[in-house]
Amino acid sequence: MKNILYRSTRSSEAPITSSAAILRGLSGDGGLYVPCSIPVLDHPVKDYAEMDYRTVAYEVMKLFLTDYTEEELRYCVDGAYSTGFDSEEIAPMAEAMGNYYLELFHGRTIAFKDMALSILPYLMTTAAKKNGDSLETVILTATSGDTGKAALAGFAGVPGTRIVVFFPNEGVSAIQKRQMVTQEGSNTCVIGITGNFDDAQTGVKRIFTDPEMRSRLEKGGFRFSSANSINIGRLVPQIAYYVFAYSRLVREERINAGDPVNFTVPTGNFGNILAAYYAARMGLPVGKLICASNRNKVLFDFFRTGVYDRNREFYLTGSPSMDILVSSNLERLIYHISGEDCDKTADLMHSLSSEGKYVIDDGMRSRLDLFASGYADDGEAMSAIRDLYENTGYVIDPHTAVASFVAGQYRGETGDLTPNIIVSTASPFKFGSTVLKALGKPVDADDMELADRLSVLANVPVPYAVESLRHAEVRHTTVCSSSGMADEVLRFLGLQ
């Protein structure tokens, strides 16, 4: 098996091992770690149909994380996926109105981030041992709603780690906020900021790349890492569920091995659909990757024009985890379509930082033919929720609804009848008010009462992740400006 090393998207520094890249999270030059080469699947696709989720995850991740021994990686996989999911299949699929919905919300926090953040603490603590690193790891994360709670759940109580999560105080759903601010664990810290997700994400990157801050932490016995999808240890586990989803259709004889499928992915930060891109590069038979955006359609405009421009109005929508204007993971795609040119990538990212935009050349645009794109505003997403429920009784969340609308729009515009898998990224119970409103039901109640009402309509029990919040104590109340984020981190670590 080929040894895979990782390099920064922005410099030609010597590549490092996967465990070192996972520990660091972000390169010192501000770039993201990418594999020096993308491995190919080492089984025929039909073989994965006979494997359960844990086996598929191991078989995919071993190709990327080549400095982990088989024993180490199996320990990580088994620790992550043996408990904590309310579905034995881990990532089941539902068929509704001609689409397959890949349900990635059966983990502890009922969002797709659980699929990777259940395993990241195992990968990271194993990496620290492998690299002889005695520093305490400080996970520093910005969230638009789901990553934060999933990371908190994964790292709470893990020896040798602390975790700080920043979220837009007025930019997440009520349930998302309650999930975070009630988080237990002496090693956890949750802070709201008076800004949007992009402000939080920019602030985290600024702290990461501040040499003085890094030096101060090291003197105090700490080292920063990330649980965002900027960390390659977040991204690699996500590739597995695309291979798994394809294999289920083969297993159920919905398709023949080798037939292409389309994936429609609701995305803001671009990590989820980038994992699908890597799966396709590995040899998974993919027809199109359909990038679904909400009203903050910076990615839709990019795929249509080749211009990435964040200089636009920012909208708070009913799909808050996609309310993003700076899609960090797009940098990895830019690196690949530039011919893995780190200088060109660095120049484009500098332009984004200094001018708020960049333009890719025709050669780069020609390498985007795997992608299609579309967007849905709140009204269109609400219609998608209502139509699906009225026709099938199946209830989806607002982010999945964006993808559902875009999938229908794409099929109508292109006539493409390739089997389509919609990536369902969150439980509707995370967004009860929005879902009930879409279904024409009253929302004049508190969050828990709304969850009870949704349970009756959807004919499913309230998930434990929501039920457990009913009497949970609020433990985190700090709110700061984006300029005060570094001070709050130092205060939490006892360095201020």
Side-chain angles (χ1 to χ4, degrees):
M1 188 166 61
K2 185 175 181 180
N3 185 36
I4 303 295
L5 296 175
Y6 291 79
R7 62 162 47 104
S8 169
T9 52
R10 300 190 191 182
S11 74
S12 56
E13 288 183 4
I16 60 176
T17 63
S18 62
S19 62
I22 288 170
L23 271 182
R24 295 184 189 180
L26 186 70
S27 174
D29 57 28
L32 308 187
Y33 286 112
V34 288
C36 293
S37 61
I38 297 174
V40 297
L41 296 171
D42 61 350
H43 294 280
V45 290
K46 64 181 178 61
D47 288 4
Y48 295 99
E50 306 306 317
M51 303 177 188
D52 64 10
Y53 190 87
R54 284 183 291 275
T55 307
V56 172
Y58 169 76
E59 291 293 334
V60 171
M61 286 191 277
K62 75 176 186 183
L63 302 175
F64 283 93
L65 309 181
T66 54
D67 67 319
Y68 285 76
T69 67
E70 179 177 352
E71 180 183 15
E72 288 169 339
L73 189 53
R74 287 194 183 278
Y75 159 76
C76 294
V77 170
D78 290 344
Y81 302 119
S82 293
T83 61
F85 289 83
D86 63 18
S87 167
E88 187 175 336
E89 206 167 9
I90 308 296
M93 275 200 292
E95 185 178 3
M97 290 182 66
N99 291 303
Y100 300 99
Y101 288 80
L102 175 62
E103 295 182 350
L104 299 178
F105 52 76
H106 289 277
R108 288 185 178 90
T109 74
I110 56 176
F112 82 100
K113 307 297 175 71
D114 291 321
M115 302 299 294
L117 284 166
S118 292
I119 194 170
L120 184 60
Y122 290 93
L123 294 174
M124 196 167 282
T125 53
T126 300
K129 292 175 185 175
K130 292 176 69 67
N131 288 269
D133 195 321
S134 61
L135 295 177
E136 186 170 351
T137 299
V138 179
I139 306 299
L140 191 62
T141 292
T143 183
S144 55
D146 287 335
T147 288
K149 175 58 181 179
L152 289 162
F155 283 94
V158 173
T161 70
R162 299 196 198 187
I163 178 167
V164 184
V165 170
F166 292 98
F167 72 96
N169 196 48
E170 302 299 330
V172 299
S173 79
I175 290 291
Q176 286 176 315
K177 184 172 183 176
R178 190 184 292 208
Q179 282 186 305
M180 288 187 282
V181 299
T182 58
Q183 177 65 49
E184 297 182 346
S186 60
N187 68 330
T188 67
C189 178
V190 180
I191 300 170
I193 71 157
T194 54
N196 58 39
F197 170 74
D198 289 329
D199 297 322
Q201 181 168 253
T202 300
V204 164
K205 284 188 173 181
R206 188 184 304 119
I207 295 169
F208 255 110
T209 54
D210 182 346
E212 184 179 339
M213 187 76 164
R214 191 182 308 120
S215 174
R216 196 164 175 181
L217 255 71
E218 288 178 359
K219 288 177 182 176
F222 300 103
R223 176 213 332 103
F224 278 137
S225 192
S226 174
N228 283 88
S229 53
I230 58 174
N231 192 318
I232 196 69
R234 260 283 306 277
L235 193 59
V236 168
Q238 293 179 258
I239 301 169
Y241 52 70
Y242 289 101
V243 178
F244 180 77
Y246 185 93
S247 76
R248 295 310 92 174
L249 294 187
V250 173
R251 183 174 185 168
E252 296 167 7
E253 298 183 346
R254 311 283 184 143
I255 61 173
N256 294 316
D259 290 348
V261 300
N262 294 339
F263 288 98
T264 305
V265 188
T267 191
N269 211 22
F270 205 73
N272 205 1
I273 198 167
L274 182 69
Y277 169 79
Y278 280 140
R281 290 278 303 270
M282 294 177 77
L284 193 70
V286 174
K288 285 289 184 183
L289 298 177
I290 304 166
C291 179
S293 299
N294 67 11
R295 192 180 180 191
N296 293 293
K297 58 187 183 69
V298 63
L299 287 167
F300 169 80
D301 291 338
F302 168 75
F303 282 111
R304 291 297 175 97
T305 66
V307 178
Y308 193 96
D309 189 352
R310 62 161 297 181
N311 300 311
R312 61 181 67 205
E313 188 171 352
F314 177 86
Y315 299 104
L316 292 174
T317 75
S319 46
S321 296
M322 298 161 64
D323 290 346
I324 295 171
L325 294 181
V326 179
S327 303
S328 289
N329 263 289
L330 188 62
E331 178 172 343
R332 286 187 167 110
L333 181 66
I334 292 298
Y335 173 80
H336 290 302
I337 65 173
S338 71
E340 304 188 343
D341 186 330
C342 57
D343 292 330
K344 180 181 285 189
T345 304
D347 287 344
L348 291 172
M349 294 307 111
H350 176 72
S351 178
L352 179 64
S353 177
S354 61
E355 301 171 26
K357 64 183 293 186
Y358 60 80
V359 182
I360 61 172
D361 59 40
D362 290 343
M364 295 173 70
R365 289 191 68 182
S366 69
R367 299 185 184 103
L368 293 175
D369 57 344
L370 184 63
F371 292 90
S373 63
Y375 74 95
D377 62 26
D378 276 354
E380 291 162 334
M382 300 274 267
S383 295
I385 294 172
R386 183 175 59 253
D387 292 347
L388 193 62
Y389 178 75
E390 289 177 350
N391 282 282
T392 68
Y394 187 61
V395 181
I396 56 176
D397 88 290
H399 304 78
T400 306
V402 168
S404 184
F405 178 86
V406 168
Q409 186 181 56
Y410 169 80
R411 184 166 286 175
E413 290 177 354
T414 65
D416 184 354
L417 299 179
T418 301
N420 181 55
I421 297 174
I422 292 174
V423 179
S424 188
T425 54
S427 165
F429 285 90
K430 270 203 159 182
F431 307 93
S433 175
T434 302
V435 172
L436 287 167
K437 195 177 297 182
L439 298 178
K441 306 300 180 182
V443 293
D444 55 339
D446 66 25
D447 305 324
M448 301 312 300
E449 173 61 25
L450 295 181
D452 292 335
R453 293 178 186 178
L454 184 56
S455 174
V456 173
L457 280 172
N459 196 30
V460 296
V462 176
Y464 176 76
V466 175
E467 185 63 38
S468 63
L469 300 176
R470 203 176 291 271
H471 304 295
E473 175 190 357
V474 173
R475 303 171 62 89
H476 305 273
T477 58
T478 301
V479 178
C480 73
S481 66
S482 57
S483 62
M485 291 168 62
D487 287 340
E488 292 298 337
V489 171
L490 292 172
R491 189 173 294 116
F492 172 62
L493 298 178
L495 300 176
Q496 177 105 313

